[in-house]
Coordinates of all heavy atoms in Angstrom, one line a residue:
M507 N 0.8 -1.2 0.0 CA 0.0 0.0 0.0 C 0.9 1.3 0.0 O 1.8 1.3 0.8 CB -0.9 0.0 1.3 CG -2.2 0.6 1.0 SD -3.3 0.5 2.4 CE -4.0 -1.1 2.2
P508 N 0.5 2.2 -0.9 CA 1.3 3.4 -1.0 C 1.1 4.3 0.2 O 0.1 4.4 0.8 CB 0.9 4.0 -2.3 CG -0.5 3.5 -2.5 CD -0.6 2.2 -1.8
I509 N 2.2 5.1 0.4 CA 2.1 6.1 1.5 C 2.0 7.5 0.9 O 2.8 7.8 0.0 CB 3.3 6.0 2.4 CG1 3.3 4.7 3.2 CG2 3.3 7.2 3.4 CD1 4.5 4.5 4.1
Y510 N 1.0 8.2 1.3 CA 0.8 9.5 0.7 C 1.2 10.6 1.8 O 0.9 10.5 2.9 CB -0.7 9.8 0.3 CG -1.0 8.9 -0.9 CD1 -1.6 7.7 -0.7 CD2 -0.8 9.4 -2.2 CE1 -1.9 6.9 -1.8 CE2 -1.2 8.6 -3.3 CZ -1.7 7.3 -3.0 OH -2.1 6.5 -4.1
E511 N 1.9 11.6 1.3 CA 2.3 12.6 2.2 C 1.4 13.8 2.1 O 1.0 14.2 1.0 CB 3.7 13.1 1.9 CG 4.8 12.3 2.7 CD 6.1 12.9 2.5 OE1 6.7 12.6 1.5 OE2 6.6 13.6 3.4
Y512 N 1.0 14.4 3.2 CA 0.1 15.5 3.2 C 0.8 16.7 4.0 O 1.6 16.4 4.9 CB -1.2 15.2 3.8 CG -2.1 14.3 2.9 CD1 -2.0 12.9 3.0 CD2 -2.9 14.9 1.9 CE1 -2.8 12.1 2.2 CE2 -3.7 14.1 1.1 CZ -3.6 12.7 1.2 OH -4.4 11.9 0.4
I513 N 0.3 17.9 3.7 CA 0.8 19.0 4.4 C -0.4 19.8 4.8 O -1.3 20.1 4.0 CB 1.8 19.9 3.7 CG1 2.4 20.9 4.6 CG2 1.2 20.4 2.4 CD1 3.6 21.6 4.1
C514 N -0.5 20.2 6.1 CA -1.6 20.9 6.6 C -1.4 22.4 6.2 O -0.4 23.0 6.4 CB -1.7 20.7 8.1 SG -3.1 21.7 8.8
L515 N -2.5 23.0 5.7 CA -2.4 24.4 5.3 C -2.6 25.3 6.5 O -2.5 26.5 6.4 CB -3.5 24.7 4.2 CG -3.4 23.8 3.0 CD1 -4.5 24.2 2.0 CD2 -2.0 24.0 2.3
K516 N -3.0 24.7 7.6 CA -3.3 25.5 8.8 C -2.1 25.6 9.7 O -1.7 26.7 10.1 CB -4.5 24.9 9.5 CG -5.8 25.6 9.3 CD -6.8 25.2 10.3 CE -8.0 26.2 10.4 NZ -9.0 25.8 11.4
C517 N -1.5 24.4 10.0 CA -0.4 24.4 10.9 C 0.9 24.0 10.2 O 1.9 23.8 10.9 CB -0.7 23.6 12.1 SG -0.8 21.8 11.7
S518 N 0.8 23.8 8.9 CA 1.9 23.4 8.1 C 2.6 22.1 8.7 O 3.8 21.9 8.6 CB 3.0 24.5 8.2 OG 2.4 25.7 7.6
N519 N 1.7 21.3 9.2 CA 2.2 20.0 9.7 C 2.3 19.0 8.5 O 1.3 18.9 7.7 CB 1.3 19.5 10.8 CG 1.7 18.1 11.2 OD1 2.8 17.8 11.4 ND2 0.7 17.2 11.4
K520 N 3.4 18.4 8.4 CA 3.6 17.4 7.4 C 3.4 16.0 8.0 O 4.1 15.6 8.9 CB 4.9 17.5 6.8 CG 5.0 17.2 5.3 CD 6.3 17.6 4.7 CE 6.5 17.0 3.3 NZ 7.9 17.2 2.9
F521 N 2.6 15.2 7.3 CA 2.3 13.9 7.8 C 2.1 12.9 6.7 O 1.7 13.4 5.6 CB 1.1 13.9 8.8 CG -0.2 14.4 8.2 CD1 -1.1 13.5 7.7 CD2 -0.3 15.8 8.1 CE1 -2.3 14.0 7.2 CE2 -1.5 16.3 7.6 CZ -2.5 15.4 7.1
A522 N 2.3 11.7 7.0 CA 2.1 10.7 5.9 C 1.0 9.8 6.3 O 0.8 9.4 7.5 CB 3.4 9.9 5.8
L523 N 0.3 9.3 5.4 CA -0.8 8.4 5.6 C -0.8 7.2 4.7 O -0.4 7.3 3.5 CB -2.2 9.2 5.4 CG -2.6 10.2 6.5 CD1 -3.9 10.8 6.1 CD2 -2.7 9.5 7.8
L524 N -1.1 6.1 5.3 CA -1.1 4.9 4.5 C -2.6 4.7 3.9 O -3.5 4.4 4.6 CB -0.8 3.7 5.4 CG -0.3 2.5 4.7 CD1 1.1 2.7 4.1 CD2 -0.2 1.3 5.6
Q525 N -2.7 5.0 2.7 CA -4.0 4.9 2.1 C -4.0 4.0 0.9 O -2.9 3.6 0.4 CB -4.4 6.4 1.7 CG -4.5 7.3 2.8 CD -5.0 8.7 2.4 OE1 -4.5 9.2 1.5 NE2 -6.0 9.2 3.1
S526 N -5.2 3.8 0.4 CA -5.3 2.9 -0.7 C -4.9 3.6 -2.0 O -4.4 4.8 -2.0 CB -6.8 2.4 -0.9 OG -7.5 3.5 -1.2
L527 N -4.9 2.9 -3.1 CA -4.4 3.5 -4.3 C -5.1 4.7 -4.7 O -4.6 5.6 -5.3 CB -4.6 2.4 -5.4 CG -3.6 2.5 -6.6 CD1 -2.2 2.3 -6.1 CD2 -3.9 1.5 -7.6
Y528 N -6.4 4.8 -4.3 CA -7.1 6.0 -4.7 C -7.7 6.7 -3.4 O -8.8 6.4 -3.0 CB -8.3 5.7 -5.6 CG -7.8 5.0 -6.9 CD1 -7.9 3.6 -7.0 CD2 -7.2 5.8 -7.9 CE1 -7.5 3.0 -8.2 CE2 -6.8 5.2 -9.0 CZ -6.9 3.8 -9.2 OH -6.5 3.2 -10.3
P529 N -6.9 7.5 -2.8 CA -7.2 8.1 -1.5 C -8.3 9.2 -1.7 O -8.4 9.8 -2.8 CB -5.9 8.8 -1.0 CG -5.2 9.0 -2.2 CD -5.5 7.9 -3.2
V530 N -9.0 9.4 -0.7 CA -10.1 10.4 -0.7 C -9.6 11.6 0.1 O -9.5 11.5 1.3 CB -11.4 9.9 -0.1 CG1 -12.5 11.0 -0.2 CG2 -11.8 8.6 -0.8
E531 N -9.3 12.7 -0.6 CA -8.6 13.8 0.0 C -9.6 14.5 1.0 O -9.2 15.0 2.1 CB -8.2 14.9 -1.0 CG -7.0 14.4 -1.8 CD -6.4 15.5 -2.6 OE1 -6.1 16.6 -2.1 OE2 -6.2 15.3 -3.8
S532 N -10.9 14.4 0.7 CA -11.9 15.1 1.5 C -11.9 14.4 2.9 O -12.4 15.0 3.9 CB -13.2 15.0 0.9 OG -13.6 13.7 0.6
N533 N -11.5 13.2 2.9 CA -11.5 12.5 4.2 C -10.2 12.5 5.0 O -10.1 12.0 6.1 CB -11.8 11.0 4.0 CG -13.3 10.8 3.7 OD1 -14.1 11.6 4.0 ND2 -13.7 9.7 3.1
T534 N -9.3 13.2 4.4 CA -8.0 13.3 5.0 C -7.9 14.6 5.9 O -8.3 15.6 5.5 CB -6.9 13.5 3.9 OG1 -7.0 12.4 3.0 CG2 -5.5 13.4 4.6
E535 N -7.5 14.4 7.1 CA -7.4 15.5 8.0 C -6.0 15.4 8.7 O -5.4 14.4 8.8 CB -8.5 15.4 9.0 CG -8.5 14.1 9.9 CD -9.6 14.1 10.9 OE1 -10.7 14.6 10.5 OE2 -9.5 13.7 12.0
C536 N -5.6 16.6 9.1 CA -4.4 16.8 9.8 C -4.3 16.0 11.0 O -5.3 15.8 11.8 CB -4.1 18.3 10.1 SG -2.6 18.6 11.0
S537 N -3.1 15.4 11.2 CA -2.9 14.5 12.4 C -2.6 15.3 13.6 O -2.5 14.8 14.7 CB -1.8 13.5 12.1 OG -0.6 14.2 11.9
K538 N -2.5 16.6 13.4 CA -2.1 17.5 14.5 C -3.2 18.3 15.0 O -3.6 18.4 16.2 CB -0.9 18.4 14.1 CG -0.1 19.0 15.2 CD 1.1 19.7 14.7 CE 2.0 20.2 15.8 NZ 3.2 20.9 15.3
C539 N -3.8 19.1 14.0 CA -4.9 20.0 14.4 C -6.3 19.5 13.9 O -7.3 20.2 14.0 CB -4.6 21.4 13.9 SG -4.7 21.5 12.1
S540 N -6.2 18.3 13.3 CA -7.5 17.7 12.7 C -8.2 18.6 11.7 O -9.4 18.6 11.6 CB -8.4 17.4 13.9 OG -7.8 16.4 14.7
S541 N -7.4 19.4 11.0 CA -8.0 20.3 10.0 C -8.1 19.5 8.7 O -7.3 18.6 8.3 CB -7.1 21.5 9.8 OG -7.5 22.2 8.7
K542 N -9.2 19.8 8.0 CA -9.4 19.2 6.7 C -8.7 19.9 5.6 O -8.7 19.4 4.5 CB -10.9 19.1 6.5 CG -11.7 18.2 7.4 CD -11.5 16.8 7.0 CE -12.3 15.8 7.8 NZ -13.8 16.0 7.5
E543 N -8.1 21.0 5.9 CA -7.4 21.8 4.9 C -6.0 21.2 4.7 O -5.0 21.8 5.2 CB -7.4 23.3 5.3 CG -8.8 23.9 5.2 CD -8.7 25.4 5.3 OE1 -8.0 26.0 4.5 OE2 -9.3 25.9 6.2
V544 N -6.0 20.1 4.0 CA -4.6 19.6 3.8 C -4.4 19.5 2.3 O -5.3 19.4 1.5 CB -4.5 18.1 4.5 CG1 -4.7 18.3 6.0 CG2 -5.5 17.2 3.9
K545 N -3.2 19.4 2.0 CA -2.8 19.3 0.6 C -1.9 18.1 0.4 O -0.9 17.9 1.2 CB -2.1 20.6 0.2 CG -2.0 20.7 -1.3 CD -1.4 22.1 -1.7 CE -1.3 22.2 -3.2 NZ -0.8 23.5 -3.6
K546 N -2.1 17.4 -0.7 CA -1.3 16.3 -0.9 C 0.1 16.7 -1.5 O 0.1 17.6 -2.3 CB -2.0 15.4 -2.0 CG -1.4 14.0 -2.0 CD -1.8 13.2 -3.2 CE -3.2 12.8 -3.1 NZ -3.6 12.1 -4.3
V547 N 1.1 16.1 -0.9 CA 2.4 16.4 -1.3 C 3.0 15.3 -2.3 O 2.9 14.2 -1.9 CB 3.3 16.6 -0.1 CG1 4.8 16.9 -0.6 CG2 2.8 17.6 0.8
I548 N 3.4 15.8 -3.4 CA 3.9 14.8 -4.3 C 5.4 14.6 -4.0 O 6.2 15.5 -4.1 CB 3.8 15.4 -5.8 CG1 2.3 15.7 -6.1 CG2 4.3 14.3 -6.7 CD1 1.4 14.6 -6.1
S549 N 5.7 13.4 -3.6 CA 7.1 13.1 -3.3 C 7.9 13.1 -4.5 O 7.7 12.3 -5.4 CB 7.2 11.7 -2.6 OG 6.5 10.8 -3.4
S550 N 8.9 14.0 -4.5 CA 9.7 14.1 -5.7 C 10.9 13.2 -5.6 O 11.2 12.7 -4.5 CB 10.2 15.6 -5.8 OG 10.9 15.9 -4.6
F551 N 11.5 13.0 -6.7 CA 12.6 12.1 -6.7 C 13.8 12.7 -6.0 O 14.2 13.8 -6.2 CB 13.0 11.9 -8.2 CG 12.0 11.1 -8.9 CD1 11.1 11.7 -9.8 CD2 12.0 9.7 -8.9 CE1 10.2 11.0 -10.5 CE2 11.0 9.0 -9.6 CZ 10.1 9.7 -10.4
S552 N 14.3 12.0 -5.0 CA 15.4 12.5 -4.3 C 16.7 12.3 -5.0 O 17.3 11.3 -5.1 CB 15.5 11.7 -2.9 OG 15.4 10.3 -3.1
C553 N 17.1 13.5 -5.6 CA 18.3 13.4 -6.4 C 19.4 14.3 -5.7 O 19.7 15.3 -6.2 CB 18.0 14.0 -7.8 SG 19.2 13.5 -9.0
T554 N 19.8 13.8 -4.6 CA 20.8 14.5 -3.8 C 22.2 14.2 -4.3 O 22.7 13.1 -4.2 CB 20.7 14.2 -2.4 OG1 20.6 12.8 -2.2 CG2 19.4 14.8 -1.8
S555 N 22.7 15.2 -5.0 CA 24.1 15.0 -5.5 C 25.1 15.7 -4.6 O 25.0 16.9 -4.4 CB 24.1 15.5 -6.9 OG 25.2 15.0 -7.6
S556 N 26.0 14.9 -4.2 CA 27.0 15.4 -3.3 C 27.8 16.5 -4.0 O 28.2 16.3 -5.1 CB 27.9 14.3 -2.8 OG 27.3 13.6 -1.8
G557 N 28.0 17.6 -3.3 CA 28.8 18.7 -3.9 C 30.2 18.3 -4.3 O 31.0 18.2 -3.4
S558 N 30.4 18.1 -5.5 CA 31.7 17.8 -5.9 C 32.0 18.4 -7.3 O 31.2 18.3 -8.2 CB 31.9 16.2 -6.0 OG 31.1 15.7 -7.0
S559 N 33.2 18.9 -7.4 CA 33.5 19.6 -8.6 C 34.0 18.6 -9.7 O 35.0 17.9 -9.5 CB 34.7 20.6 -8.4 OG 35.8 20.0 -7.8
S560 N 33.1 18.5 -10.6 CA 33.5 17.6 -11.7 C 32.8 18.0 -13.0 O 31.7 18.5 -13.0 CB 33.0 16.1 -11.3 OG 33.5 15.2 -12.3
S561 N 33.4 17.7 -14.0 CA 32.9 18.1 -15.3 C 31.7 17.3 -15.6 O 31.7 16.1 -15.7 CB 33.9 18.0 -16.4 OG 34.3 16.6 -16.5
S562 N 30.5 18.0 -15.8 CA 29.3 17.3 -16.1 C 29.0 17.4 -17.6 O 29.0 18.5 -18.1 CB 28.2 17.9 -15.3 OG 28.1 19.3 -15.6
S563 N 28.7 16.3 -18.2 CA 28.4 16.3 -19.6 C 27.0 15.7 -19.8 O 26.7 14.7 -19.2 CB 29.5 15.6 -20.4 OG 29.6 14.2 -19.9
M564 N 26.2 16.4 -20.6 CA 24.9 15.8 -20.9 C 25.0 14.9 -22.0 O 25.3 15.3 -23.2 CB 24.0 17.0 -21.2 CG 23.6 17.7 -19.9 SD 22.4 16.8 -18.9 CE 20.9 17.7 -19.3
S565 N 24.7 13.7 -21.8 CA 24.7 12.7 -22.9 C 23.6 11.6 -22.6 O 23.6 11.1 -21.5 CB 26.1 12.0 -23.0 OG 26.4 11.4 -21.9
A566 N 22.8 11.4 -23.6 CA 21.8 10.4 -23.4 C 22.3 9.0 -23.6 O 23.1 8.8 -24.5 CB 20.7 10.6 -24.4
P567 N 22.0 8.1 -22.7 CA 22.5 6.7 -22.8 C 21.8 6.0 -23.9 O 20.7 5.5 -23.8 CB 22.2 6.2 -21.4 CG 21.0 7.0 -20.9 CD 21.1 8.3 -21.6
G568 N 22.5 5.8 -24.9 CA 22.0 5.0 -26.1 C 20.5 5.3 -26.4 O 19.7 4.3 -26.2
F569 N 20.3 6.4 -26.8 CA 18.9 6.7 -27.1 C 18.8 7.1 -28.6 O 19.2 8.2 -29.0 CB 18.4 7.9 -26.3 CG 17.0 7.7 -25.9 CD1 16.6 7.1 -24.7 CD2 15.9 8.3 -26.7 CE1 15.3 6.9 -24.3 CE2 14.6 8.1 -26.3 CZ 14.3 7.4 -25.1
G570 N 18.3 6.3 -29.4 CA 18.1 6.5 -30.8 C 18.5 5.3 -31.6 O 18.4 4.2 -31.2
G571 N 18.9 5.6 -32.8 CA 19.2 4.5 -33.7 C 18.0 4.1 -34.5 O 16.9 4.1 -34.1
G572 N 18.3 3.8 -35.7 CA 17.2 3.5 -36.7 C 16.6 2.1 -36.3 O 16.8 1.6 -35.3
G573 N 16.0 1.6 -37.3 CA 15.4 0.3 -37.1 C 13.9 0.4 -37.1 O 13.3 1.3 -36.6
G574 N 13.3 -0.5 -37.7 CA 11.8 -0.4 -37.7 C 11.3 -1.8 -38.2 O 11.9 -2.5 -38.9
G575 N 10.1 -2.0 -37.7 CA 9.5 -3.2 -38.1 C 9.7 -4.4 -37.3 O 10.4 -5.0 -36.8
Ligands
ZN989 ZN1 -2.8 20.9 11.0

């Protein structure tokens, strides 16, 4: 079961809830102040790159090439 993160618009409390695949936002309330004014937070990809000086080059890994059929 997926875990959805929510943030309370009232007390800015961030909490996670274990809900089914299709959660009902209207039924979601803050775990701190029990406010219904919560917003779903889309968990973004954690791309934490350690600060290191290195030459970065943009190159797509084998993307392309003809062929068909
Ligand atoms: Zn709250």
Side-chain angles (χ1 to χ4, degrees):
M507 216 177 269
I509 294 178
Y510 293 90
E511 271 189 279
Y512 288 91
I513 186 166
C514 180
L515 302 177
K516 258 191 163 181
C517 67
S518 300
N519 174 44
K520 213 170 164 190
F521 56 99
L523 286 177
L524 200 71
Q525 299 182 309
S526 67
L527 207 61
Y528 302 102
V530 183
E531 287 191 53
S532 56
N533 282 341
T534 307
E535 60 182 38
C536 177
S537 61
K538 202 172 180 180
C539 68
S540 298
S541 172
K542 290 284 184 69
E543 290 191 57
V544 296
K545 193 176 179 175
K546 198 194 286 179
V547 179
I548 306 296
S549 52
S550 56
F551 293 97
S552 47
C553 198
T554 49
S555 197
S556 283
S558 62
S559 57
S560 186
S561 60
S562 58
S563 58
M564 283 288 254
S565 62
F569 216 88

